[in-house]
mmCIF file of all heavy atoms in Angstrom:
data_model
loop_
_atom_site.group_PDB
_atom_site.id
_atom_site.type_symbol
_atom_site.label_atom_id
_atom_site.label_comp_id
_atom_site.label_asym_id
_atom_site.label_seq_id
_atom_site.Cartn_x
_atom_site.Cartn_y
_atom_site.Cartn_z
ATOM 1 N N ARG A 1 -7.701 -34.133 -16.305
ATOM 2 C CA ARG A 1 -6.917 -33.135 -15.552
ATOM 3 C C ARG A 1 -6.565 -33.599 -14.140
ATOM 4 O O ARG A 1 -6.472 -32.772 -13.217
ATOM 5 C CB ARG A 1 -7.649 -31.801 -15.479
ATOM 6 C CG ARG A 1 -7.754 -31.066 -16.813
ATOM 7 C CD ARG A 1 -8.339 -29.691 -16.649
ATOM 8 N NE ARG A 1 -8.379 -28.972 -17.895
ATOM 9 C CZ ARG A 1 -7.426 -28.227 -18.349
ATOM 10 N NH1 ARG A 1 -6.320 -28.117 -17.658
ATOM 11 N NH2 ARG A 1 -7.570 -27.584 -19.505
ATOM 12 N N ALA A 2 -6.434 -34.888 -13.965
ATOM 13 C CA ALA A 2 -5.998 -35.479 -12.665
ATOM 14 C C ALA A 2 -6.938 -34.932 -11.597
ATOM 15 O O ALA A 2 -6.534 -34.439 -10.516
ATOM 16 C CB ALA A 2 -4.555 -35.157 -12.361
ATOM 17 N N THR A 3 -8.249 -35.010 -11.820
ATOM 18 C CA THR A 3 -9.246 -34.381 -10.931
ATOM 19 C C THR A 3 -9.503 -35.224 -9.688
ATOM 20 O O THR A 3 -9.651 -36.488 -9.776
ATOM 21 C CB THR A 3 -10.592 -34.178 -11.704
ATOM 22 O OG1 THR A 3 -10.342 -33.317 -12.836
ATOM 23 C CG2 THR A 3 -11.580 -33.552 -10.834
ATOM 24 N N SER A 4 -9.582 -34.582 -8.558
ATOM 25 C CA SER A 4 -9.973 -35.213 -7.341
ATOM 26 C C SER A 4 -11.025 -34.379 -6.715
ATOM 27 O O SER A 4 -10.809 -33.178 -6.260
ATOM 28 C CB SER A 4 -8.746 -35.305 -6.371
ATOM 29 O OG SER A 4 -9.142 -35.898 -5.127
ATOM 30 N N LEU A 5 -12.266 -34.895 -6.606
ATOM 31 C CA LEU A 5 -13.377 -34.186 -6.095
ATOM 32 C C LEU A 5 -13.919 -34.870 -4.825
ATOM 33 O O LEU A 5 -14.172 -36.099 -4.840
ATOM 34 C CB LEU A 5 -14.518 -34.169 -7.106
ATOM 35 C CG LEU A 5 -15.825 -33.440 -6.743
ATOM 36 C CD1 LEU A 5 -15.579 -31.911 -6.550
ATOM 37 C CD2 LEU A 5 -16.897 -33.651 -7.806
ATOM 38 N N THR A 6 -14.014 -34.156 -3.720
ATOM 39 C CA THR A 6 -14.460 -34.665 -2.446
ATOM 40 C C THR A 6 -15.754 -34.036 -2.029
ATOM 41 O O THR A 6 -15.856 -32.786 -1.988
ATOM 42 C CB THR A 6 -13.349 -34.443 -1.349
ATOM 43 O OG1 THR A 6 -12.137 -35.040 -1.782
ATOM 44 C CG2 THR A 6 -13.765 -35.093 -0.057
ATOM 45 N N LEU A 7 -16.745 -34.904 -1.702
ATOM 46 C CA LEU A 7 -18.002 -34.433 -1.219
ATOM 47 C C LEU A 7 -18.165 -34.939 0.249
ATOM 48 O O LEU A 7 -18.091 -36.116 0.510
ATOM 49 C CB LEU A 7 -19.210 -34.892 -2.080
ATOM 50 C CG LEU A 7 -19.099 -34.660 -3.607
ATOM 51 C CD1 LEU A 7 -20.275 -35.269 -4.288
ATOM 52 C CD2 LEU A 7 -19.003 -33.166 -3.868
ATOM 53 N N VAL A 8 -18.466 -33.990 1.154
ATOM 54 C CA VAL A 8 -18.625 -34.368 2.568
ATOM 55 C C VAL A 8 -20.048 -34.073 3.015
ATOM 56 O O VAL A 8 -20.564 -32.923 2.832
ATOM 57 C CB VAL A 8 -17.632 -33.606 3.426
ATOM 58 C CG1 VAL A 8 -17.819 -33.918 4.901
ATOM 59 C CG2 VAL A 8 -16.183 -33.880 3.003
ATOM 60 N N PHE A 9 -20.692 -35.063 3.598
ATOM 61 C CA PHE A 9 -22.075 -34.945 4.148
ATOM 62 C C PHE A 9 -22.031 -34.968 5.629
ATOM 63 O O PHE A 9 -21.266 -35.761 6.213
ATOM 64 C CB PHE A 9 -22.971 -36.033 3.576
ATOM 65 C CG PHE A 9 -23.229 -35.983 2.101
ATOM 66 C CD1 PHE A 9 -22.348 -36.581 1.255
ATOM 67 C CD2 PHE A 9 -24.309 -35.329 1.574
ATOM 68 C CE1 PHE A 9 -22.536 -36.573 -0.092
ATOM 69 C CE2 PHE A 9 -24.531 -35.298 0.228
ATOM 70 C CZ PHE A 9 -23.653 -35.923 -0.642
ATOM 71 N N SER A 10 -22.845 -34.146 6.294
ATOM 72 C CA SER A 10 -22.914 -34.103 7.737
ATOM 73 C C SER A 10 -24.302 -34.450 8.229
ATOM 74 O O SER A 10 -25.313 -34.025 7.585
ATOM 75 C CB SER A 10 -22.455 -32.700 8.247
ATOM 76 O OG SER A 10 -21.124 -32.453 7.893
ATOM 77 N N LEU A 11 -24.403 -35.082 9.327
ATOM 78 C CA LEU A 11 -25.685 -35.488 9.956
ATOM 79 C C LEU A 11 -25.868 -34.824 11.254
ATOM 80 O O LEU A 11 -24.980 -34.853 12.177
ATOM 81 C CB LEU A 11 -25.756 -37.011 10.109
ATOM 82 C CG LEU A 11 -26.961 -37.602 10.919
ATOM 83 C CD1 LEU A 11 -28.256 -37.380 10.015
ATOM 84 C CD2 LEU A 11 -26.824 -39.046 11.173
ATOM 85 N N ASN A 12 -27.065 -34.235 11.451
ATOM 86 C CA ASN A 12 -27.444 -33.637 12.732
ATOM 87 C C ASN A 12 -28.267 -34.681 13.449
ATOM 88 O O ASN A 12 -29.416 -34.957 13.098
ATOM 89 C CB ASN A 12 -28.281 -32.382 12.571
ATOM 90 C CG ASN A 12 -28.540 -31.643 13.864
ATOM 91 O OD1 ASN A 12 -28.790 -32.272 14.901
ATOM 92 N ND2 ASN A 12 -28.519 -30.343 13.814
ATOM 93 N N ALA A 13 -27.719 -35.306 14.443
ATOM 94 C CA ALA A 13 -28.414 -36.433 15.171
ATOM 95 C C ALA A 13 -29.611 -35.933 15.844
ATOM 96 O O ALA A 13 -30.608 -36.727 16.019
ATOM 97 C CB ALA A 13 -27.456 -37.126 16.142
ATOM 98 N N THR A 14 -29.684 -34.688 16.308
ATOM 99 C CA THR A 14 -30.826 -34.204 17.028
ATOM 100 C C THR A 14 -32.025 -34.036 16.112
ATOM 101 O O THR A 14 -33.174 -34.442 16.478
ATOM 102 C CB THR A 14 -30.511 -32.826 17.627
ATOM 103 O OG1 THR A 14 -29.349 -32.944 18.475
ATOM 104 C CG2 THR A 14 -31.713 -32.270 18.437
ATOM 105 N N SER A 15 -31.857 -33.492 14.911
ATOM 106 C CA SER A 15 -32.981 -33.299 13.994
ATOM 107 C C SER A 15 -33.110 -34.372 12.999
ATOM 108 O O SER A 15 -34.106 -34.409 12.249
ATOM 109 C CB SER A 15 -32.768 -31.960 13.250
ATOM 110 O OG SER A 15 -31.594 -32.004 12.482
ATOM 111 N N SER A 16 -32.146 -35.344 12.988
ATOM 112 C CA SER A 16 -32.135 -36.449 12.019
ATOM 113 C C SER A 16 -32.150 -35.915 10.548
ATOM 114 O O SER A 16 -32.726 -36.534 9.624
ATOM 115 C CB SER A 16 -33.344 -37.387 12.219
ATOM 116 O OG SER A 16 -33.239 -37.999 13.468
ATOM 117 N N LYS A 17 -31.460 -34.784 10.317
ATOM 118 C CA LYS A 17 -31.312 -34.211 8.992
ATOM 119 C C LYS A 17 -29.843 -34.210 8.556
ATOM 120 O O LYS A 17 -28.958 -33.996 9.420
ATOM 121 C CB LYS A 17 -31.846 -32.750 9.012
ATOM 122 C CG LYS A 17 -33.280 -32.585 9.339
ATOM 123 C CD LYS A 17 -34.217 -33.064 8.187
ATOM 124 C CE LYS A 17 -35.684 -32.798 8.471
ATOM 125 N NZ LYS A 17 -36.538 -33.242 7.392
ATOM 126 N N TYR A 18 -29.630 -34.454 7.316
ATOM 127 C CA TYR A 18 -28.285 -34.364 6.787
ATOM 128 C C TYR A 18 -28.218 -33.365 5.655
ATOM 129 O O TYR A 18 -29.211 -32.960 5.092
ATOM 130 C CB TYR A 18 -27.839 -35.733 6.249
ATOM 131 C CG TYR A 18 -28.592 -36.312 5.147
ATOM 132 C CD1 TYR A 18 -28.367 -35.906 3.789
ATOM 133 C CD2 TYR A 18 -29.581 -37.311 5.347
ATOM 134 C CE1 TYR A 18 -29.122 -36.456 2.726
ATOM 135 C CE2 TYR A 18 -30.318 -37.826 4.291
ATOM 136 C CZ TYR A 18 -30.048 -37.404 2.969
ATOM 137 O OH TYR A 18 -30.811 -37.897 1.969
ATOM 138 N N HIS A 19 -27.026 -32.943 5.278
ATOM 139 C CA HIS A 19 -26.838 -32.052 4.168
ATOM 140 C C HIS A 19 -25.352 -32.123 3.664
ATOM 141 O O HIS A 19 -24.492 -32.655 4.328
ATOM 142 C CB HIS A 19 -27.084 -30.588 4.612
ATOM 143 C CG HIS A 19 -26.149 -30.060 5.571
ATOM 144 N ND1 HIS A 19 -26.219 -30.346 6.942
ATOM 145 C CD2 HIS A 19 -25.068 -29.173 5.445
ATOM 146 C CE1 HIS A 19 -25.266 -29.753 7.602
ATOM 147 N NE2 HIS A 19 -24.546 -29.006 6.729
ATOM 148 N N LEU A 20 -25.188 -31.597 2.450
ATOM 149 C CA LEU A 20 -23.796 -31.536 1.816
ATOM 150 C C LEU A 20 -23.103 -30.342 2.500
ATOM 151 O O LEU A 20 -23.488 -29.148 2.251
ATOM 152 C CB LEU A 20 -23.882 -31.404 0.341
ATOM 153 C CG LEU A 20 -22.539 -31.224 -0.397
ATOM 154 C CD1 LEU A 20 -21.687 -32.416 -0.238
ATOM 155 C CD2 LEU A 20 -22.775 -30.868 -1.849
ATOM 156 N N SER A 21 -22.078 -30.551 3.318
ATOM 157 C CA SER A 21 -21.482 -29.488 4.053
ATOM 158 C C SER A 21 -20.152 -29.086 3.499
ATOM 159 O O SER A 21 -19.670 -27.968 3.805
ATOM 160 C CB SER A 21 -21.287 -29.949 5.489
ATOM 161 O OG SER A 21 -20.452 -31.145 5.608
ATOM 162 N N GLY A 22 -19.522 -29.919 2.692
ATOM 163 C CA GLY A 22 -18.196 -29.487 2.120
ATOM 164 C C GLY A 22 -17.917 -30.085 0.785
ATOM 165 O O GLY A 22 -18.316 -31.229 0.487
ATOM 166 N N VAL A 23 -17.206 -29.292 -0.061
ATOM 167 C CA VAL A 23 -16.777 -29.779 -1.383
ATOM 168 C C VAL A 23 -15.315 -29.305 -1.582
ATOM 169 O O VAL A 23 -15.056 -28.036 -1.357
ATOM 170 C CB VAL A 23 -17.682 -29.203 -2.517
ATOM 171 C CG1 VAL A 23 -17.134 -29.601 -3.900
ATOM 172 C CG2 VAL A 23 -19.117 -29.725 -2.372
ATOM 173 N N THR A 24 -14.467 -30.146 -2.011
ATOM 174 C CA THR A 24 -13.064 -29.800 -2.318
ATOM 175 C C THR A 24 -12.694 -30.295 -3.687
ATOM 176 O O THR A 24 -13.023 -31.446 -4.048
ATOM 177 C CB THR A 24 -12.097 -30.354 -1.257
ATOM 178 O OG1 THR A 24 -12.508 -29.895 0.058
ATOM 179 C CG2 THR A 24 -10.694 -29.899 -1.547
ATOM 180 N N LEU A 25 -11.969 -29.437 -4.472
ATOM 181 C CA LEU A 25 -11.561 -29.868 -5.823
ATOM 182 C C LEU A 25 -10.029 -29.648 -5.907
ATOM 183 O O LEU A 25 -9.547 -28.565 -5.614
ATOM 184 C CB LEU A 25 -12.257 -29.001 -6.871
ATOM 185 C CG LEU A 25 -11.758 -29.199 -8.340
ATOM 186 C CD1 LEU A 25 -12.103 -30.580 -8.845
ATOM 187 C CD2 LEU A 25 -12.326 -28.144 -9.233
ATOM 188 N N LEU A 26 -9.340 -30.663 -6.346
ATOM 189 C CA LEU A 26 -7.934 -30.648 -6.661
ATOM 190 C C LEU A 26 -7.845 -31.028 -8.179
ATOM 191 O O LEU A 26 -8.331 -32.142 -8.507
ATOM 192 C CB LEU A 26 -7.095 -31.535 -5.798
ATOM 193 C CG LEU A 26 -7.076 -31.216 -4.329
ATOM 194 C CD1 LEU A 26 -6.291 -32.290 -3.536
ATOM 195 C CD2 LEU A 26 -6.380 -29.843 -4.045
ATOM 196 N N ALA A 27 -7.208 -30.237 -8.980
ATOM 197 C CA ALA A 27 -7.089 -30.593 -10.424
ATOM 198 C C ALA A 27 -5.878 -29.861 -10.999
ATOM 199 O O ALA A 27 -5.280 -28.974 -10.382
ATOM 200 C CB ALA A 27 -8.411 -30.202 -11.140
ATOM 201 N N ALA A 28 -5.556 -30.262 -12.274
ATOM 202 C CA ALA A 28 -4.374 -29.769 -12.924
ATOM 203 C C ALA A 28 -4.660 -28.479 -13.683
ATOM 204 O O ALA A 28 -4.058 -28.212 -14.702
ATOM 205 C CB ALA A 28 -3.860 -30.834 -13.888
ATOM 206 N N TRP A 29 -5.593 -27.702 -13.250
ATOM 207 C CA TRP A 29 -5.754 -26.293 -13.738
ATOM 208 C C TRP A 29 -4.691 -25.467 -13.026
ATOM 209 O O TRP A 29 -4.242 -25.808 -11.901
ATOM 210 C CB TRP A 29 -7.134 -25.768 -13.469
ATOM 211 C CG TRP A 29 -8.152 -26.186 -14.484
ATOM 212 C CD1 TRP A 29 -8.320 -25.669 -15.730
ATOM 213 C CD2 TRP A 29 -9.206 -27.160 -14.287
ATOM 214 N NE1 TRP A 29 -9.402 -26.311 -16.327
ATOM 215 C CE2 TRP A 29 -9.946 -27.191 -15.471
ATOM 216 C CE3 TRP A 29 -9.567 -27.958 -13.232
ATOM 217 C CZ2 TRP A 29 -11.019 -28.024 -15.670
ATOM 218 C CZ3 TRP A 29 -10.635 -28.816 -13.390
ATOM 219 C CH2 TRP A 29 -11.344 -28.819 -14.596
ATOM 220 N N PRO A 30 -4.366 -24.341 -13.549
ATOM 221 C CA PRO A 30 -3.345 -23.482 -12.849
ATOM 222 C C PRO A 30 -3.826 -23.097 -11.450
ATOM 223 O O PRO A 30 -4.831 -22.485 -11.283
ATOM 224 C CB PRO A 30 -3.218 -22.246 -13.773
ATOM 225 C CG PRO A 30 -3.603 -22.728 -15.099
ATOM 226 C CD PRO A 30 -4.664 -23.749 -14.886
ATOM 227 N N ASP A 31 -3.019 -23.465 -10.464
ATOM 228 C CA ASP A 31 -3.290 -23.070 -9.061
ATOM 229 C C ASP A 31 -4.688 -23.469 -8.606
ATOM 230 O O ASP A 31 -5.352 -22.722 -7.908
ATOM 231 C CB ASP A 31 -3.072 -21.564 -8.895
ATOM 232 C CG ASP A 31 -1.664 -21.097 -9.177
ATOM 233 O OD1 ASP A 31 -0.733 -21.876 -8.933
ATOM 234 O OD2 ASP A 31 -1.512 -20.039 -9.783
#
């Protein structure tokens, strides 16, 4: 389905902790 999946991770330099902060999906499903 011409899928494009983006995973964005962010790092907090103060606490030295990271997490998954963003997910985006583009695909050939309707809208």
Side-chain angles (χ1 to χ4, degrees):
R1 290 187 177 271
T3 300
S4 176
L5 179 67
T6 304
L7 307 179
V8 179
F9 294 86
S10 298
L11 173 66
N12 186 325
T14 304
S15 62
S16 297
K17 297 288 185 179
Y18 63 81
H19 67 282
L20 177 65
S21 59
V23 175
T24 303
L25 173 67
L26 296 174
W29 279 284
D31 301 323

